[in-house]
Amino acid sequence: MPAARGRSARPAEQDGSAVPVLEDFVLPELLGSLPALIALVYGPDHRLAYANDAYTSAFGHRTPGLPAVDGCPELAELGLLALMEQVLRSGRPRTVKSRRIHTGDAPAGGEGSYTVTCLPAGRRDGDPAGAGVLIFATDVTDHAVAAERLRASERRHRETAVTLQRSLLPQELEQPDDLRFAATYQPGGTDAAVGGDWYDVITLGAGRTAVVIGDVMGRGVRAAAVMGQLRTAVRAYARLDLPPHEVLQLLDGLAAEIDASQIATCVYAVHDPNEGRLAYASAGHLPILVRDAGGCVRRAEEPTGPPLGTGGWLHTSGSIALPPGSTAVLYTDGLVERRREDIDEGVAALERALAGATGSPQVVCDRLIRSLGVTAEHDDDVAVLVLQHPARDGADAELFHNAALDLLGGHEAAPRARAFASGVLASWRFSPELHDLGVLAVSELVGNSLQHGVPPMRLRLRRTDRRLIIEVTDGDEHLPRRRRVETEDEAGRGISIIATIASSWGSRRTPGGGKAVWCEFALPS
């Protein structure tokens, strides 16, 4: 039987004829006509045994029998020599993808990209010393060029988004009298699409400052554009000097109108130096962290609501103490969120980092970025806003003063307020001109409050290193407005006088009911 003689019988078709085997076909001629690059090397020196027409067309004539190091330098350029050694030792094929190589020896010249597979080629006589490696290279130049164009397009798209994102962020933070700020924005790594993180600092007047940080839950140019619209809206709403929860209520409706498919988290806070607290409202955002002068870190917990754009929620405001010497941090989730890790663990790590972070706001900001392991290859956008309420002493403290007087009403209230203001301004050593302007402003604001407001009434004077602030509060919620005064009018001139003599003025409703009307005078530098 054939099996007994060590040979296998050829299989037969249904009609009884023998099925052809591989040896019946003319394979060398077929390999020579294939468009793929094919070469066969043998022995430990990888001497060339065969190269088809496509191979010689790409790299030029190659002399059989020469070692690959000398006769086929393109194999070394492709990084195949070590790979062929592995194939000979293991007997397993290996593949490398999209290797670029110069094909200058060919008539056409130029560069090409190839995916190369090295296959073990044993000898029929079983001689291991003559075993070889079949090199099969497929030209993928067109695919590589298309992939590079796609990558270049993605880079341009990303650069456009990053440029738009940075241009929409404040180029320079406002620095109010009572607080110091620093902020950092870092886009995600090259493999991450740019998000919609933003922050801002807005001076409201009368020494009050608003801060905001938010994150549009989207990627690319669209998210950056939505972010820009929200940031612009926040600045506009902040000028109305509304409580934080009312600002978020307005933003909630606007976010749904801009793009119902994209929502955003946001926290908006207002600092009043007279109260020493940070009033805030949060729309699904991470909690504000505050570090006191002793290094103790507290979270601003409730209240918080759903993200902007969801609708149907009445936001409320809360507050957290911000005494002199304290530092507050507002941030987006990219700083604390990690894959396979609960976000509370990230916030706890940020608390530990903040507890030991001292120095200027920029130093604290940089230290938090490093402590949380944020690098250039981070997989998400990161925005951090650090504000400090500095503790002042010595000569610096002499530039900051407060004085207040409760007004009981009646005919003696106005003269008493003028006398109080005159004495305070004189003790603060203002120039006679500024002293007289300040007393005039007090007279007009108090007179306006006595005529149109209701008790309780209070006069507050505040001096900083850059301005004099005069503020009068009362229990009536009707806000004054400046109007055109005709020559024959006997009333309505108070606000016009204030607007003329002061650097700026404004009014707002107070949280407990009532209003505050204020004006500022810039101090000479």
Side-chain angles (χ1 to χ4, degrees):
M1 298 294 291
R5 293 194 298 269
R7 298 180 57 193
S8 298
R10 292 192 175 197
E13 295 184 359
Q14 292 181 356
D15 60 0
S17 60
V19 175
V21 294
L22 194 61
E23 290 82 355
D24 294 334
F25 294 91
V26 184
L27 290 180
E29 289 81 357
L30 180 62
L31 293 177
S33 62
L34 286 177
L37 281 61
I38 298 176
L40 177 64
V41 297
Y42 66 94
D45 295 334
H46 307 302
R47 296 178 181 274
L48 182 66
Y50 169 79
N52 70 349
D53 293 342
Y55 191 98
T56 58
S57 176
F59 301 116
H61 175 72
R62 294 294 181 259
T63 303
L66 290 179
V69 174
D70 301 324
C72 301
E74 64 277 359
L75 298 182
E77 186 177 348
L78 285 167
L80 298 181
L81 297 183
L83 194 68
M84 292 188 295
E85 290 286 351
Q86 295 178 14
V87 172
L88 277 179
R89 289 196 303 269
S90 65
R92 296 179 180 179
R94 294 286 189 272
T95 300
V96 293
K97 295 182 178 181
S98 193
R99 293 287 179 90
R100 178 172 291 185
I101 187 172
H102 181 67
T103 57
D105 293 343
E111 286 190 352
S113 295
Y114 296 88
T115 292
V116 184
T117 299
C118 296
L119 302 165
R123 294 176 64 95
R124 291 189 181 278
D125 57 13
D127 180 12
V133 177
L134 181 70
I135 302 164
F136 186 94
T138 305
D139 189 348
V140 293
T141 303
D142 292 341
H143 296 283
V145 170
E148 180 57 34
R149 288 176 179 171
L150 179 60
R151 286 192 293 269
S153 175
E154 291 175 346
R155 284 194 300 270
R156 289 193 297 270
H157 182 81
R158 173 182 167 77
E159 290 169 359
T160 300
V162 171
T163 301
L164 176 61
Q165 174 86 341
R166 292 193 181 279
S167 66
L168 293 174
L169 292 174
Q171 303 304 304
E172 185 175 352
L173 292 179
E174 297 182 29
Q175 296 291 342
D177 300 352
D178 295 275
L179 301 175
R180 296 294 178 265
F181 287 93
T184 294
Y185 169 73
Q186 180 171 309
T190 54
D191 294 334
V194 176
D197 296 14
W198 95 92
Y199 56 82
D200 208 350
V201 176
I202 309 161
T203 54
L204 303 178
R208 303 168 72 249
T209 306
V211 293
V212 61
I213 194 165
D215 184 4
V216 177
M217 295 181 182
R219 295 291 184 214
V221 174
R222 180 58 184 166
V226 172
M227 175 274 289
Q229 295 177 77
L230 289 178
R231 176 176 175 253
T232 301
V234 169
R235 294 193 71 88
Y237 295 148
R239 298 304 177 191
L240 300 176
D241 214 341
L242 300 172
H245 65 276
E246 292 189 22
V247 172
L248 290 193
Q249 209 70 51
L250 293 171
L251 283 176
D252 188 26
L254 179 65
E257 294 177 7
I258 293 175
D259 191 338
S261 64
Q262 287 185 305
I263 59 177
T265 64
C266 176
V267 60
Y268 178 84
V270 176
H271 174 258
D272 190 332
N274 297 306
E275 298 177 359
R277 302 187 68 82
L278 201 62
Y280 67 91
S282 175
H285 205 79
L286 294 166
I288 301 172
L289 301 183
V290 176
R291 176 190 184 274
D292 62 24
C296 178
V297 177
R298 293 171 292 115
R299 294 189 189 186
E301 299 293 350
E302 298 292 339
T304 185
L308 302 175
T310 55
W313 183 268
L314 290 177
H315 292 274
T316 56
S317 295
S319 67
I320 186 171
L322 191 72
S326 57
T327 300
V329 177
L330 294 78
Y331 52 97
T332 57
D333 58 2
L335 181 65
V336 296
E337 191 173 28
R338 301 292 182 270
R339 294 177 182 176
R340 298 180 297 277
E341 183 178 298
D342 191 88
I343 195 169
D344 285 337
E345 297 179 13
V347 176
L350 179 59
E351 287 180 325
R352 293 190 295 271
L354 178 59
T358 58
S360 68
Q362 189 61 58
V363 170
V364 172
C365 198
D366 295 340
R367 184 168 180 177
L368 295 180
I369 291 288
R370 290 194 304 270
S371 299
L372 273 293
V374 177
T375 65
E377 299 304 319
H378 195 58
D379 60 358
D380 196 4
D381 290 31
V382 175
V384 182
L385 178 64
V386 175
L387 65 95
Q388 287 183 348
H389 185 190
R392 296 181 174 88
D393 52 17
D396 189 32
E398 290 299 317
L399 299 177
F400 291 81
H401 294 284
N402 287 281
L405 174 67
D406 290 324
L407 302 175
L408 302 179
H411 296 291
E412 73 283 356
R416 184 164 176 257
R418 286 193 295 269
F420 174 79
S422 178
V424 169
L425 298 180
S427 68
W428 291 350
R429 298 184 178 89
F430 286 138
S431 66
E433 180 183 1
L434 185 56
H435 174 278
D436 294 343
L437 289 176
V439 172
L440 176 60
V442 167
S443 178
E444 295 296 337
L445 291 179
V446 170
N448 190 72
S449 181
L450 290 172
Q451 183 175 358
H452 303 288
V454 296
M457 301 178 186
R458 186 178 178 86
L459 168 65
R460 179 181 290 138
L461 304 177
R462 177 170 174 78
R463 177 210 171 124
T464 72
D465 58 344
R466 285 179 273 182
R467 72 197 77 233
L468 165 66
I469 302 168
I470 301 172
E471 184 178 72
V472 176
T473 60
D474 63 58
D476 182 69
E477 294 188 352
H478 177 72
L479 299 180
R481 59 185 179 87
R482 186 180 182 185
R483 60 187 179 88
R484 182 183 296 275
V485 181
E486 302 298 336
T487 306
E488 62 274 11
D489 291 341
E490 297 181 358
R493 301 179 184 276
I495 296 299
S496 295
I497 293 174
I498 292 296
T500 301
I501 64 174
S503 304
S504 61
W505 76 279
S507 62
R508 71 179 188 279
R509 291 187 174 90
T510 53
K515 68 175 180 295
V517 185
W518 56 269
C519 66
E520 295 181 352
F521 293 89
L523 302 183
S525 57

